[in-house]
Amino acid sequence: MKTFKYILLIAFLVFIVSCSNHYSKQLIKQNENTLPILFKNVDIFNGKDSSLIPNKNVLVEKGIIKIITENFETKDNQDYHTIEGKGRTLMPGLVDAHVHLSGSGAVPWENVSANEAYNLKAYLHSGITTVYDLGGMASDIEKLSQEVAHGELLGPTIYHSHIPITVKNGHPIPLTKEILGWPLKSFVNTLAPTIEDAEDAEKIIEEYLEENVDYVKIIYDEIPPGSPFMTYNVLEALIEKAHDKGYKVFVHIGSPQNAIDAVNAGADILAHGIWRGKLSSEQADIIANAKVPIIYTLAAFQNVNSINKGEYYPKDIDTLLVPKIILEPVTGAKGLDVKGQKAMKGFFDDVTDKSPFLLDNFKLLWERNVQMVLGTDSALPGTYAGSTYLQEIDALKTYGLSNFEILTGATYLPSKLFLDDPDFGIVEVGKKANLLLINGNPLENITLIKSPETILMNGKIIVKVE
């Protein structure tokens, strides 16, 4: 396996050399302040309660929330970087629970390489201070994670899986081959962890965990339609072995039956909403009773559908954060070129055909209080680092979620997906100072979180450079 990784690295470097640099925007920088930060007279949305905690003073020191109090007495021998919070809300940084940092978001007919460092900046620019990578080379993502943790890269905290476990030539292999192009596509089947029989589950999981992952990702879906598909027995065996080792499992699903099978097999999180077919009330009851959260990725499906119809037009935040060469080929009628790509055409056509099911399925689950957490599936064609997350907020609001449901689904709830005691996703003494200062009350006006007045990452002030 290591030999193949070195071959892939060489091929990747060849690919990089052939690409021009389309990521020249700086986007963000870190403020040089080294003083403790004192927020005065600020209201707090702590991530899990549906009302604000009014008029508090919050001290941030060495990257940690040190004090939350009504009356804070400054020390005579200590200077502070003071931020007036009157009329403002301090809240946890956002969590994107479904990303692919090594994706560029470009279509396969454009020779555009991914720039992970730029993607990380785009997320942080949008107020996203934590991301869950659900499908890349674990060793590469872990390197990025360490560089962020050590202050060598600006970006959100990274948790990750490895390339998802699938079957030979099953999703994501067909789409990945098209998106990567030559020479990288020739290595996809070799690098993707594939399984044939349930008897191989223990070995596959052991090898997967050797990649130093935070959780396990499994594909239980057929994209494009007609591609090879994992059996229920194999899925169940994989989840059982992962649980035996103490790891939570994210399962990529598409159809109602995919979702029911995944829940019955013990899935901890469903990655993607249920779109490939009509969900029944009985099936919705099963999912709700299992209390399995769903990362719905509504904006991704909306954009794929729009591109497939030649009706996609970037929003202002897209044009700010996403290079022109990535957006232009899918804008307006140009997006119809996707029909020249066999696997992508199959998937995009399927999304368009099944798009009427999205809203009805969502409502059935929402009415039953199924947890909806925010994620984007970025960066892939039609879904982009940072900007698509802000579109996801709009989509969830349109589909009926309250401001509180969106806010907690963007902060506290995703922090608990696989960690028992996360140090983020909540404003609380002792937790990381990954915070947003909002001018106003986001529980009353959700759009305010799209333009935070101040972003703190590990207690450092992040300044937007536009």
Side-chain angles (χ1 to χ4, degrees), residues 1-76:
M1 180 62 77
K2 287 185 178 180
T3 301
F4 284 113
K5 286 182 181 178
Y6 291 132
I7 294 172
L8 180 64
L9 178 60
I10 292 169
F12 181 68
L13 291 174
V14 171
F15 178 65
I16 286 288
V17 170
S18 68
C19 300
S20 58
N21 181 15
H22 307 288
Y23 302 92
S24 57
K25 290 183 181 178
Q26 187 178 354
L27 293 184
I28 57 172
K29 64 181 181 179
Q30 185 172 287
N31 187 290
E32 297 302 320
N33 170 66
T34 58
L35 296 173
I37 299 172
L38 177 61
F39 294 94
K40 296 184 65 178
N41 309 309
V42 71
D43 297 333
I44 296 172
F45 169 66
N46 66 3
K48 66 177 182 177
D49 293 327
S50 59
S51 58
L52 298 184
I53 303 168
N55 198 31
K56 295 292 183 180
N57 297 296
V58 180
L59 180 68
V60 169
E61 191 172 9
K62 296 180 180 179
I64 301 296
I65 301 171
K66 289 289 187 179
I67 296 173
I68 300 176
T69 183
E70 288 184 8
N71 301 301
F72 180 78
E73 296 184 6
T74 59
K75 298 177 182 177
D76 292 337

Coordinates of all heavy atoms in Angstrom, one line a residue, residues 1-76:
M1 N 0.8 -1.2 0.0 CA 0.0 0.0 0.0 C 0.9 1.3 0.0 O 0.6 2.2 -0.7 CB -0.9 0.0 1.2 CG -1.8 1.2 1.3 SD -3.0 1.4 -0.1 CE -4.2 0.2 0.4
K2 N 2.0 1.2 0.8 CA 2.8 2.4 0.8 C 3.5 2.7 -0.5 O 3.6 3.9 -0.9 CB 3.9 2.2 1.9 CG 3.4 2.3 3.3 CD 4.5 2.3 4.3 CE 3.9 2.4 5.7 NZ 5.0 2.4 6.8
T3 N 3.8 1.6 -1.3 CA 4.4 1.8 -2.6 C 3.4 2.5 -3.5 O 3.8 3.5 -4.2 CB 4.8 0.4 -3.2 OG1 5.7 -0.2 -2.4 CG2 5.4 0.6 -4.6
F4 N 2.2 2.1 -3.4 CA 1.2 2.8 -4.3 C 1.0 4.3 -3.9 O 0.7 5.1 -4.7 CB -0.2 2.1 -4.2 CG -0.2 0.8 -5.0 CD1 -0.3 -0.4 -4.3 CD2 -0.1 0.8 -6.4 CE1 -0.3 -1.6 -5.1 CE2 -0.1 -0.3 -7.1 CZ -0.2 -1.6 -6.5
K5 N 1.2 4.6 -2.6 CA 1.0 5.9 -2.1 C 2.1 6.8 -2.7 O 1.9 7.9 -3.1 CB 1.1 6.0 -0.6 CG -0.2 5.5 0.1 CD -0.1 5.7 1.6 CE -1.4 5.2 2.3 NZ -1.3 5.3 3.7
Y6 N 3.3 6.2 -2.8 CA 4.5 7.0 -3.4 C 4.2 7.2 -4.9 O 4.5 8.3 -5.4 CB 5.8 6.3 -3.1 CG 6.2 6.3 -1.7 CD1 6.6 5.1 -1.0 CD2 6.2 7.4 -0.9 CE1 7.0 5.1 0.3 CE2 6.6 7.4 0.4 CZ 7.0 6.3 1.0 OH 7.4 6.3 2.3
I7 N 3.7 6.2 -5.5 CA 3.4 6.3 -7.0 C 2.4 7.4 -7.1 O 2.5 8.2 -8.0 CB 2.9 5.0 -7.5 CG1 4.0 3.9 -7.5 CG2 2.4 5.2 -9.0 CD1 3.5 2.5 -7.9
L8 N 1.3 7.4 -6.3 CA 0.3 8.4 -6.4 C 0.9 9.8 -6.1 O 0.5 10.7 -6.8 CB -0.8 8.1 -5.3 CG -2.0 9.1 -5.3 CD1 -2.7 9.1 -6.6 CD2 -2.9 8.8 -4.2
L9 N 1.8 9.9 -5.2 CA 2.4 11.2 -4.9 C 3.1 11.7 -6.1 O 3.0 12.9 -6.5 CB 3.3 11.1 -3.7 CG 4.1 12.4 -3.3 CD1 3.1 13.5 -3.0 CD2 5.0 12.1 -2.2
I10 N 3.9 10.9 -6.8 CA 4.6 11.3 -8.0 C 3.7 11.7 -9.1 O 3.8 12.8 -9.7 CB 5.5 10.1 -8.5 CG1 6.6 9.9 -7.5 CG2 6.1 10.5 -9.9 CD1 7.4 8.6 -7.7
A11 N 2.6 10.9 -9.3 CA 1.6 11.3 -10.3 C 0.9 12.6 -9.9 O 0.7 13.5 -10.8 CB 0.5 10.2 -10.4
F12 N 0.7 12.8 -8.6 CA 0.0 14.0 -8.2 C 0.9 15.2 -8.4 O 0.5 16.3 -8.9 CB -0.3 13.9 -6.7 CG -1.0 15.1 -6.1 CD1 -2.3 15.4 -6.6 CD2 -0.4 15.9 -5.2 CE1 -3.0 16.5 -6.1 CE2 -1.0 17.1 -4.7 CZ -2.3 17.3 -5.1
L13 N 2.2 15.1 -8.2 CA 3.2 16.2 -8.4 C 3.2 16.5 -9.9 O 3.3 17.7 -10.3 CB 4.5 15.8 -7.9 CG 4.6 15.7 -6.4 CD1 6.0 15.2 -6.0 CD2 4.4 17.1 -5.7
V14 N 3.2 15.5 -10.8 CA 3.2 15.8 -12.2 C 1.9 16.6 -12.6 O 2.0 17.5 -13.4 CB 3.2 14.5 -13.0 CG1 3.0 14.7 -14.5 CG2 4.6 13.8 -12.8
F15 N 0.8 16.2 -12.0 CA -0.5 16.8 -12.2 C -0.4 18.3 -11.8 O -0.8 19.2 -12.5 CB -1.6 16.1 -11.5 CG -2.9 16.7 -11.6 CD1 -3.6 16.7 -12.8 CD2 -3.6 17.2 -10.5 CE1 -4.9 17.3 -12.9 CE2 -4.9 17.7 -10.6 CZ -5.5 17.7 -11.8
I16 N 0.2 18.5 -10.6 CA 0.3 19.9 -10.0 C 1.1 20.8 -10.9 O 0.7 21.9 -11.2 CB 0.9 19.8 -8.6 CG1 -0.1 19.3 -7.6 CG2 1.4 21.2 -8.2 CD1 -1.2 20.2 -7.2
V17 N 2.2 20.3 -11.4 CA 3.0 21.1 -12.3 C 2.3 21.6 -13.5 O 2.5 22.7 -14.0 CB 4.3 20.3 -12.7 CG1 5.1 21.0 -13.7 CG2 5.2 20.1 -11.4
S18 N 1.4 20.7 -14.0 CA 0.7 21.0 -15.3 C -0.4 22.1 -15.0 O -1.1 22.5 -16.0 CB 0.1 19.8 -15.9 OG -1.0 19.3 -15.0
C19 N -0.7 22.4 -13.8 CA -1.8 23.3 -13.5 C -1.3 24.7 -13.1 O -0.3 24.8 -12.4 CB -2.6 22.8 -12.3 SG -3.4 21.2 -12.6
S20 N -2.0 25.7 -13.5 CA -1.6 27.0 -13.0 C -2.2 27.3 -11.7 O -3.1 26.6 -11.2 CB -2.1 28.1 -14.0 OG -3.5 28.0 -14.2
N21 N -1.7 28.3 -11.0 CA -2.2 28.6 -9.6 C -3.4 29.6 -9.7 O -3.3 30.7 -10.1 CB -1.1 29.3 -8.8 CG -1.5 29.6 -7.4 OD1 -2.5 29.1 -7.0 ND2 -0.7 30.4 -6.7
H22 N -4.6 29.1 -9.3 CA -5.8 29.9 -9.4 C -6.2 30.3 -8.0 O -7.4 30.7 -7.8 CB -6.9 29.0 -10.0 CG -6.5 28.5 -11.4 ND1 -6.4 29.3 -12.5 CD2 -6.2 27.2 -11.7 CE1 -6.0 28.5 -13.5 NE2 -5.9 27.3 -13.1
Y23 N -5.3 30.2 -7.0 CA -5.7 30.4 -5.6 C -4.9 31.6 -5.0 O -4.2 31.4 -4.0 CB -5.5 29.2 -4.8 CG -6.3 28.0 -5.3 CD1 -5.7 27.1 -6.2 CD2 -7.6 27.8 -4.9 CE1 -6.5 26.0 -6.7 CE2 -8.3 26.7 -5.3 CZ -7.7 25.8 -6.2 OH -8.5 24.7 -6.7
S24 N -4.9 32.7 -5.7 CA -4.0 33.8 -5.3 C -4.6 34.7 -4.2 O -3.8 35.4 -3.6 CB -3.7 34.7 -6.5 OG -4.9 35.2 -7.1
K25 N -5.9 34.6 -4.0 CA -6.5 35.4 -2.9 C -6.0 35.0 -1.5 O -6.0 33.8 -1.2 CB -8.0 35.3 -3.0 CG -8.7 36.0 -4.2 CD -10.2 35.9 -4.1 CE -10.8 36.6 -5.3 NZ -12.3 36.4 -5.2
Q26 N -5.7 36.0 -0.7 CA -5.2 35.7 0.6 C -6.4 35.2 1.5 O -6.2 34.4 2.4 CB -4.5 36.9 1.2 CG -3.8 36.6 2.6 CD -3.1 37.8 3.1 OE1 -3.0 38.8 2.4 NE2 -2.6 37.7 4.3
L27 N -7.5 35.8 1.4 CA -8.8 35.6 2.1 C -8.8 36.0 3.6 O -9.6 36.8 4.0 CB -9.2 34.1 2.0 CG -9.6 33.6 0.6 CD1 -10.1 32.1 0.7 CD2 -10.7 34.4 0.0
I28 N -7.8 35.5 4.4 CA -7.8 35.7 5.8 C -6.3 35.9 6.3 O -5.4 35.4 5.6 CB -8.5 34.7 6.6 CG1 -7.8 33.3 6.4 CG2 -10.0 34.6 6.4 CD1 -8.3 32.2 7.3
K29 N -6.1 36.5 7.4 CA -4.9 36.5 8.1 C -5.1 36.5 9.6 O -6.2 36.7 10.0 CB -4.0 37.7 7.7 CG -4.6 39.0 8.1 CD -3.7 40.2 7.6 CE -4.3 41.5 8.0 NZ -3.4 42.7 7.6
Q30 N -4.1 36.2 10.3 CA -4.3 36.1 11.8 C -3.8 37.4 12.4 O -2.7 37.9 12.1 CB -3.5 35.0 12.3 CG -3.6 34.7 13.8 CD -3.0 33.4 14.3 OE1 -3.4 32.3 14.0 NE2 -1.8 33.6 14.9
N31 N -4.6 38.0 13.3 CA -4.2 39.2 14.0 C -3.0 38.9 15.0 O -3.0 37.8 15.5 CB -5.4 39.7 14.8 CG -5.1 41.0 15.5 OD1 -4.4 41.1 16.5 ND2 -5.8 42.1 15.0
E32 N -2.1 39.8 15.1 CA -0.9 39.6 15.9 C -1.1 39.7 17.4 O -0.1 39.6 18.2 CB 0.2 40.5 15.4 CG 0.7 40.2 14.0 CD 1.1 38.8 13.7 OE1 1.8 38.2 14.6 OE2 0.8 38.2 12.7
N33 N -2.3 40.1 17.8 CA -2.6 40.3 19.2 C -2.1 39.1 20.1 O -2.4 37.9 19.8 CB -4.1 40.5 19.5 CG -4.4 40.5 20.9 OD1 -4.0 41.4 21.7 ND2 -5.2 39.5 21.3
T34 N -1.4 39.3 21.2 CA -1.0 38.3 22.1 C -1.6 38.5 23.5 O -1.4 37.7 24.4 CB 0.5 38.3 22.2 OG1 1.0 39.5 22.7 CG2 1.2 37.9 20.9
L35 N -2.4 39.5 23.7 CA -3.0 39.8 25.0 C -4.2 38.9 25.2 O -4.9 38.4 24.2 CB -3.5 41.2 25.1 CG -2.4 42.3 25.0 CD1 -3.0 43.7 24.9 CD2 -1.4 42.2 26.2
P36 N -4.6 38.6 26.4 CA -5.9 38.0 26.7 C -7.0 38.8 26.1 O -7.0 40.0 26.1 CB -6.0 37.9 28.2 CG -4.6 38.0 28.7 CD -3.9 38.9 27.7
I37 N -8.1 38.2 25.6 CA -9.2 38.9 25.0 C -10.4 38.9 25.9 O -10.8 37.9 26.4 CB -9.6 38.2 23.6 CG1 -8.4 38.2 22.7 CG2 -10.8 38.9 23.0 CD1 -8.6 37.4 21.4
L38 N -10.9 40.1 26.1 CA -12.0 40.3 27.0 C -13.2 40.8 26.3 O -13.2 41.9 25.7 CB -11.6 41.2 28.2 CG -12.8 41.6 29.2 CD1 -13.3 40.3 29.9 CD2 -12.3 42.7 30.1
F39 N -14.3 40.0 26.2 CA -15.5 40.4 25.6 C -16.4 41.0 26.7 O -16.7 40.3 27.7 CB -16.3 39.2 25.0 CG -15.6 38.7 23.7 CD1 -14.7 37.6 23.9 CD2 -15.8 39.2 22.5 CE1 -14.1 37.1 22.8 CE2 -15.2 38.7 21.4 CZ -14.3 37.6 21.5
K40 N -16.8 42.2 26.6 CA -17.5 42.9 27.7 C -19.0 43.0 27.3 O -19.4 43.4 26.2 CB -17.0 44.3 28.0 CG -15.5 44.2 28.5 CD -15.0 45.6 28.9 CE -15.8 46.2 30.0 NZ -15.3 47.5 30.4
N41 N -19.9 42.7 28.3 CA -21.3 43.0 28.1 C -21.9 42.3 26.9 O -22.8 42.8 26.2 CB -21.6 44.5 28.0 CG -20.9 45.3 29.1 OD1 -21.0 44.9 30.3 ND2 -20.1 46.3 28.7
V42 N -21.5 41.1 26.7 CA -22.0 40.3 25.5 C -23.0 39.3 25.9 O -23.0 38.7 27.0 CB -20.8 39.6 24.8 CG1 -20.2 38.4 25.6 CG2 -21.1 39.2 23.4
D43 N -24.0 39.1 25.0 CA -24.9 38.0 25.1 C -24.3 36.7 24.5 O -23.5 36.8 23.6 CB -26.3 38.3 24.4 CG -27.0 39.5 25.0 OD1 -26.8 39.8 26.2 OD2 -27.7 40.2 24.2
I44 N -24.7 35.6 25.1 CA -24.1 34.3 24.6 C -25.2 33.3 24.1 O -26.2 33.1 24.8 CB -23.4 33.6 25.8 CG1 -22.2 34.5 26.3 CG2 -22.9 32.2 25.4 CD1 -21.5 34.0 27.5
F45 N -24.9 32.8 22.9 CA -25.6 31.6 22.5 C -24.6 30.5 22.7 O -23.6 30.4 22.0 CB -26.0 31.7 21.0 CG -26.5 30.4 20.4 CD1 -27.7 29.8 20.9 CD2 -25.8 29.7 19.5 CE1 -28.1 28.6 20.5 CE2 -26.2 28.4 19.0 CZ -27.4 27.9 19.5
N46 N -24.9 29.6 23.6 CA -23.9 28.6 24.0 C -23.9 27.4 23.1 O -23.0 26.6 23.3 CB -24.1 28.2 25.5 CG -25.4 27.4 25.7 OD1 -26.2 27.2 24.8 ND2 -25.7 27.1 27.0
G47 N -24.8 27.3 22.2 CA -24.8 26.2 21.2 C -25.9 25.2 21.5 O -26.3 24.5 20.5
K48 N -26.4 25.1 22.7 CA -27.4 24.0 23.0 C -28.6 24.5 23.6 O -29.6 23.8 23.6 CB -26.7 23.0 23.9 CG -26.4 23.4 25.3 CD -25.9 22.2 26.1 CE -25.5 22.7 27.5 NZ -25.1 21.5 28.4
D49 N -28.7 25.8 24.1 CA -29.9 26.3 24.7 C -30.6 27.3 23.7 O -29.9 28.0 23.0 CB -29.6 27.1 26.0 CG -29.0 26.1 27.1 OD1 -29.5 24.9 27.1 OD2 -28.2 26.5 27.9
S50 N -31.9 27.3 23.8 CA -32.7 28.0 22.8 C -32.9 29.5 23.1 O -33.6 30.2 22.4 CB -34.0 27.3 22.6 OG -34.7 27.3 23.8
S51 N -32.3 29.9 24.2 CA -32.3 31.4 24.5 C -30.9 31.9 24.8 O -30.0 31.1 25.2 CB -33.3 31.7 25.6 OG -32.9 30.9 26.8
L52 N -30.7 33.2 24.6 CA -29.4 33.7 24.9 C -29.2 33.9 26.4 O -30.1 34.1 27.2 CB -29.3 35.1 24.2 CG -29.4 35.2 22.7 CD1 -29.1 36.6 22.2 CD2 -28.4 34.2 22.1
I53 N -27.9 33.8 26.8 CA -27.5 34.1 28.2 C -27.1 35.6 28.2 O -26.1 35.9 27.5 CB -26.3 33.2 28.6 CG1 -26.7 31.7 28.5 CG2 -25.9 33.6 30.0 CD1 -25.6 30.8 28.6
P54 N -27.8 36.5 28.8 CA -27.5 37.9 28.6 C -26.4 38.5 29.4 O -26.1 38.0 30.5 CB -28.9 38.5 29.1 CG -29.4 37.6 30.1 CD -29.0 36.2 29.7
N55 N -25.8 39.5 28.8 CA -24.9 40.4 29.5 C -23.8 39.8 30.4 O -23.8 39.9 31.6 CB -25.7 41.4 30.4 CG -24.9 42.6 30.8 OD1 -24.1 43.1 30.1 ND2 -25.2 43.1 32.0
K56 N -22.9 39.1 29.7 CA -21.8 38.4 30.3 C -20.4 39.0 29.9 O -20.3 39.7 28.8 CB -21.8 36.9 30.0 CG -23.0 36.2 30.6 CD -22.9 36.1 32.1 CE -24.1 35.3 32.6 NZ -24.1 35.2 34.1
N57 N -19.4 38.8 30.7 CA -18.0 39.2 30.4 C -17.3 37.8 30.2 O -17.4 37.0 31.0 CB -17.4 40.0 31.5 CG -18.0 41.3 31.7 OD1 -18.1 42.2 30.8 ND2 -18.6 41.5 32.8
V58 N -16.6 37.7 29.1 CA -16.0 36.5 28.7 C -14.5 36.7 28.5 O -14.1 37.5 27.6 CB -16.6 35.8 27.4 CG1 -15.9 34.5 27.1 CG2 -18.1 35.6 27.6
L59 N -13.7 36.0 29.2 CA -12.2 36.1 29.1 C -11.6 34.9 28.3 O -11.9 33.8 28.7 CB -11.5 36.2 30.5 CG -10.0 36.4 30.4 CD1 -9.6 37.7 29.8 CD2 -9.4 36.2 31.8
V60 N -10.9 35.2 27.3 CA -10.2 34.2 26.5 C -8.7 34.4 26.7 O -8.2 35.5 26.5 CB -10.6 34.3 25.0 CG1 -9.7 33.5 24.2 CG2 -12.0 34.0 24.8
E61 N -8.1 33.3 27.1 CA -6.6 33.3 27.3 C -6.0 32.0 26.9 O -6.5 30.9 27.2 CB -6.3 33.6 28.8 CG -4.9 33.9 29.1 CD -4.7 34.4 30.6 OE1 -5.7 34.3 31.3 OE2 -3.6 34.8 30.9
K62 N -4.9 32.1 26.1 CA -4.1 30.9 25.7 C -5.1 30.0 24.9 O -4.9 28.7 25.1 CB -3.4 30.3 26.8 CG -2.4 31.1 27.5 CD -1.6 30.4 28.6 CE -0.6 31.3 29.2 NZ 0.1 30.7 30.4
G63 N -6.0 30.5 24.1 CA -6.8 29.7 23.3 C -8.0 29.0 24.0 O -8.7 28.3 23.3
I64 N -8.2 29.4 25.2 CA -9.2 28.7 26.0 C -10.2 29.8 26.6 O -9.8 30.9 27.0 CB -8.6 27.9 27.2 CG1 -7.7 26.8 26.6 CG2 -9.7 27.2 28.0 CD1 -8.4 25.8 25.8
I65 N -11.5 29.4 26.8 CA -12.4 30.3 27.5 C -12.1 30.1 29.0 O -12.3 29.0 29.6 CB -13.9 29.9 27.2 CG1 -14.1 30.0 25.7 CG2 -14.8 30.7 28.0 CD1 -15.5 29.4 25.2
K66 N -11.6 31.1 29.6 CA -11.1 31.1 31.0 C -12.2 31.4 32.0 O -12.4 30.8 33.0 CB -9.9 32.0 31.2 CG -8.7 31.5 30.5 CD -8.1 30.3 31.2 CE -6.7 29.9 30.7 NZ -6.2 28.7 31.4
I67 N -13.0 32.5 31.7 CA -14.0 33.0 32.6 C -15.2 33.5 31.9 O -15.1 34.1 30.8 CB -13.4 34.2 33.4 CG1 -12.2 33.8 34.3 CG2 -14.5 34.8 34.3 CD1 -11.5 34.9 35.0
I68 N -16.4 33.1 32.4 CA -17.7 33.7 32.0 C -18.3 34.3 33.3 O -18.7 33.5 34.2 CB -18.6 32.7 31.3 CG1 -17.9 32.1 30.0 CG2 -19.9 33.3 30.9 CD1 -18.7 31.0 29.4
T69 N -18.5 35.5 33.3 CA -19.0 36.1 34.6 C -19.8 37.4 34.3 O -19.6 38.0 33.2 CB -17.9 36.4 35.6 OG1 -18.4 36.9 36.8 CG2 -16.9 37.4 35.0
E70 N -20.7 37.8 35.3 CA -21.4 39.1 35.1 C -20.4 40.3 35.5 O -20.5 41.3 34.9 CB -22.6 39.1 36.0 CG -23.7 38.2 35.5 CD -25.0 38.3 36.4 OE1 -25.0 39.2 37.3 OE2 -25.9 37.5 36.2
N71 N -19.6 40.1 36.5 CA -18.7 41.1 37.0 C -17.3 40.7 36.9 O -16.9 39.8 37.7 CB -19.1 41.5 38.4 CG -20.5 42.0 38.5 OD1 -20.9 43.0 37.9 ND2 -21.3 41.3 39.3
F72 N -16.6 41.2 36.0 CA -15.2 40.8 35.8 C -14.3 41.9 36.3 O -14.4 43.1 35.9 CB -14.8 40.5 34.3 CG -13.4 40.1 34.1 CD1 -13.0 38.9 34.4 CD2 -12.5 41.1 33.6 CE1 -11.7 38.5 34.2 CE2 -11.2 40.7 33.4 CZ -10.7 39.4 33.7
E73 N -13.4 41.6 37.2 CA -12.4 42.6 37.8 C -11.1 42.4 37.1 O -10.5 41.4 37.2 CB -12.3 42.4 39.3 CG -13.6 42.6 40.0 CD -13.4 42.6 41.6 OE1 -12.2 42.4 42.0 OE2 -14.4 42.6 42.3
T74 N -10.7 43.5 36.4 CA -9.4 43.4 35.7 C -8.3 43.5 36.7 O -8.4 44.1 37.8 CB -9.3 44.6 34.7 OG1 -9.4 45.8 35.4 CG2 -10.3 44.5 33.6
K75 N -7.1 42.9 36.3 CA -5.9 42.9 37.2 C -5.1 44.2 36.8 O -4.9 44.5 35.6 CB -5.1 41.7 37.0 CG -5.9 40.4 37.4 CD -5.0 39.2 37.1 CE -5.8 37.9 37.5 NZ -5.0 36.7 37.1
D76 N -4.6 44.8 37.9 CA -3.8 46.1 37.6 C -2.6 45.8 36.7 O -2.2 46.7 36.0 CB -3.4 46.7 39.0 CG -4.6 47.2 39.7 OD1 -5.6 47.5 39.1 OD2 -4.5 47.3 41.0

